[in-house]
């Protein structure tokens, strides 16, 4: 067992502060990783505030982890000491159920071991995330981080990247498709970059006029202010695909009206309250309303390799861990350009 410096929320809604956790010594199939950077996802805020029901405290959030391998177990073949490595939203699963066999480990029927606010597969040992200086995980659930990527900017690929890459692939995003991205935060800015890289004609749908220039720089061909009813009216029936990243309650019917006949809207954001969908919003036009949760390990590796080849990373504001509570407040006000990333050096001093 190792004593590891971390930042934790002691209870729901309490501010995060310094904390010490224990990490296991690496078993035969494990890698030990010194964490260099960890992205800050809006899911961290939802969970620290217990907005998704029961939560486990003290909670060390963080599932966009990039670091360097410092130890490998005796049977490890994918990594050697000194390699770059990444950990995303989950660290283990049963590997024998149907979703696991189909490379959808996030939907493991026994319940995947999520990287924090969960337990290992023994259902006893709590998991702790990347707001810490070290993590130990099975090599099966550890990603290879391609060389050549800026490491701080690569960290958000482990959640924001895969969460937007996966539905773009599932809905066969291709050159000429009209893709609308709803909400320009961490997920939204990755959706814009990735959809544009796949050749789509991307429209940013945002509540923040001040983000227009950034949206275009990120690759959006058009920008529309969703608070402007005239702008929305002019977009009726336009999009093949909408990726909805909004973390707060909003009216889905408005956006469904922007889909073309047989178009699809994929929800990835998790607003707190259930949304009312009028049957006619779907029936008229054979429209599809669907969801998507992160991506399996194989697809996450595919996404990392794709991003390395296309030189795609996140636009980040690097912060010391001591600024995390302030960063949360800014994210809630949609004031993030476009992902906070913690430099774990700040926890080693
Ligand atoms: P974020 O960086 O805070 O961005 C959310 C964006 O939504 C904001 O920047 C803002 O964009 C827009 N927004 C916020 N409040 C709004 C409101 N009241 N009305 C309309 N738009 C609003 O969050 P994130 O990290 O991208 O995460 C977004 C959501 O996805 C969270 O709920 C998170 O839990 C969820 N998530 C899901 C998955 C998954 O697997 N499905 C994975 C990761 C995260 P504008 O300023 O452009 O309007
Ligand atoms: Zn996340």
């Amino acid at each position: 067992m190792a004593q590891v410096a971390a930042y934790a929320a002691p209870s729901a809604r309490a501010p995060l502060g310094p904390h010490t956790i224990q990490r296991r010594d690496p078993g035969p199939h494990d890698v030990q990783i010194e964490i260099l950077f960890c992205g800050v996802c809006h899911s961290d805020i939802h969970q620290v505030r217990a907005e998704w029901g029961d939560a486990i405290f003290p909670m060390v959030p963080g599932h966009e982890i990039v670091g360097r391998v410092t130890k490998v177990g005796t049977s490890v073949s994918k990594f050697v000491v000194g390699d770059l490595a990444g950990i995303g939203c989950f660290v283990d699963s049963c590997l024998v159920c149907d979703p696991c066999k189909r490379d959808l480990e996030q939907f493991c029927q026994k319940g995947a071991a999520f990287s924090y606010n969960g337990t290992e597969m023994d259902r006893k040992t709590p998991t702790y995330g990347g707001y810490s200086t070290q993590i130990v995980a099975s090599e099966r659930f550890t990603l290879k981080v391609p060389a050549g990527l800026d490491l701080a900017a690569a960290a958000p690929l482990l959640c924001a990247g895969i969460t937007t890459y996966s539905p773009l692939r599932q809905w066969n995003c291709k050159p000429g498709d009209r893709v609308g991205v709803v909400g320009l935060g961490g997920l939204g800015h990755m959706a814009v970059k990735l959809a544009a890289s796949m050749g789509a004609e991307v429209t940013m749908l945002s509540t923040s006029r001040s983000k227009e220039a950034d949206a275009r720089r990120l690759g959006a061909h058009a920008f529309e202010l969703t608070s402007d009813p005239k702008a929305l009216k002019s977009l009726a029936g336009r999009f093949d695909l909408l990726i909805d990243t909004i973390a707060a309650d909003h009216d889905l019917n408005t956006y469904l009206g922007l889909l073309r006949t047989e178009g699809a809207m994929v929800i990835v954001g998790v607003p707190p309250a259930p949304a009312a969908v009028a049957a006619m919003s779907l029936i008229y036009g054979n429209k599809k309303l669907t969801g998507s949760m992160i991506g399996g390990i194989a697809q996450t590796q595919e996404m990392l390799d794709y991003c390395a080849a296309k030189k795609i990373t996140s636009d980040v504001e690097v912060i010391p861990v001591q600024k995390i509570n302030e960063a949360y407040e800014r994210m809630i006000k949609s004031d993030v350009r476009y992902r906070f990333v913690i430099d774990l050096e700040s926890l080693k001093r």
Side-chain angles (χ1 to χ4, degrees):
M1 283 283 185
Q3 303 288 320
V4 172
Y7 238 61
S11 60
R13 300 195 153 266
L16 279 73
H19 182 64
T20 302
I21 54 172
Q22 294 203 323
R23 297 282 195 197
R24 67 175 183 267
D25 297 326
H29 300 284
D30 287 339
V31 293
Q32 183 192 67
I33 300 165
E34 179 197 1
I35 300 176
L36 300 174
F37 295 101
C38 183
V40 180
C41 180
H42 208 109
S43 303
D44 300 350
I45 305 178
H46 290 307
Q47 292 180 86
V48 156
R49 301 189 172 196
E51 289 172 0
W52 293 349
D54 284 346
I56 302 169
F57 293 97
M59 188 189 299
V60 177
H63 56 208
E64 295 184 335
I65 300 168
V66 165
R68 204 169 279 286
V69 174
T70 45
K71 246 187 217 176
V72 295
T74 48
S75 302
V76 166
S77 58
K78 212 164 92 179
F79 294 92
V80 296
V81 170
D83 280 355
L84 294 173
I87 300 276
C89 296
F90 50 96
V91 288
D92 206 356
S93 73
C94 83
L95 294 176
V96 295
C97 71
D98 177 63
C100 280
K101 282 194 190 141
R102 293 169 52 216
D103 287 323
L104 296 168
E105 305 93 336
Q106 70 272 37
F107 305 124
C108 173
Q109 284 168 358
K110 290 215 174 86
F114 288 94
S115 301
Y116 69 88
N117 190 24
T119 64
E120 299 286 353
M121 296 307 283
D122 66 7
R123 296 287 103 114
K124 286 189 291 227
T125 315
T127 51
Y128 298 113
Y131 300 6
S132 61
T133 54
Q134 189 234 79
I135 190 165
V136 176
S138 156
E139 67 167 336
R140 168 70 176 70
F141 292 84
T142 304
L143 287 307
K144 301 279 265 185
V145 175
L149 292 176
D150 178 87
L151 292 185
L157 299 178
L158 275 305
C159 174
I162 184 60
T163 300
T164 49
Y165 178 88
S166 186
L168 289 168
R169 283 292 186 229
Q170 190 186 339
W171 293 94
N172 187 31
C173 176
K174 57 187 185 306
D177 280 5
R178 291 169 171 180
V179 174
V181 176
V182 189
L184 187 50
L187 266 54
H189 93 292
M190 289 313 307
V192 170
K193 288 187 185 203
L194 289 166
S197 79
M198 293 171 190
E201 187 190 312
V202 183
T203 300
M204 185 67 234
L205 300 162
S206 170
T207 61
S208 308
R209 169 61 77 196
S210 62
K211 294 179 182 172
E212 175 165 4
D214 282 345
R216 292 183 189 276
R217 177 178 55 75
L218 295 165
H221 305 87
F223 177 96
E224 299 294 345
L225 204 56
T226 49
S227 53
D228 174 0
K230 259 201 347 234
L232 286 186
K233 211 168 169 195
S234 72
L235 294 174
R238 181 170 179 85
F239 297 105
D240 297 286
L241 182 64
L242 284 169
I243 307 277
D244 180 357
T245 76
I246 298 177
D249 294 333
H250 58 289
D251 178 31
L252 299 183
N253 302 288
T254 306
Y255 296 100
L256 289 168
L258 310 186
L259 289 176
R260 67 157 169 77
T261 302
E262 296 186 313
M265 171 157 162
V266 185
I267 295 183
V268 291
V270 190
V277 176
M280 265 309 166
S281 297
L282 296 171
I283 291 174
Y284 191 81
N286 292 6
K287 292 173 183 175
K288 304 172 194 81
L289 177 61
T290 179
S292 191
M293 186 170 120
I294 37 178
I297 292 294
Q299 195 178 42
T300 305
Q301 191 62 60
E302 175 191 307
M303 176 276 311
L304 285 169
D305 297 340
Y306 176 88
C307 287
K310 298 266 184 183
K311 301 200 186 326
I312 294 172
T313 51
S314 184
D315 285 28
V316 299
E317 181 174 337
V318 178
I319 56 165
V321 73
Q322 293 78 8
K323 291 259 186 225
I324 189 64
N325 296 303
E326 207 177 295
Y328 282 5
E329 290 310 319
R330 283 183 52 196
M331 284 169 74
I332 288 164
K333 287 187 274 181
S334 301
D335 174 24
V336 50
R337 312 263 166 136
Y338 281 90
R339 197 58 140 186
F340 290 111
V341 170
I342 300 167
D343 181 350
L344 271 311
E345 200 49 45
S346 59
L347 202 50
K348 295 170 193 165
R349 281 182 218 124

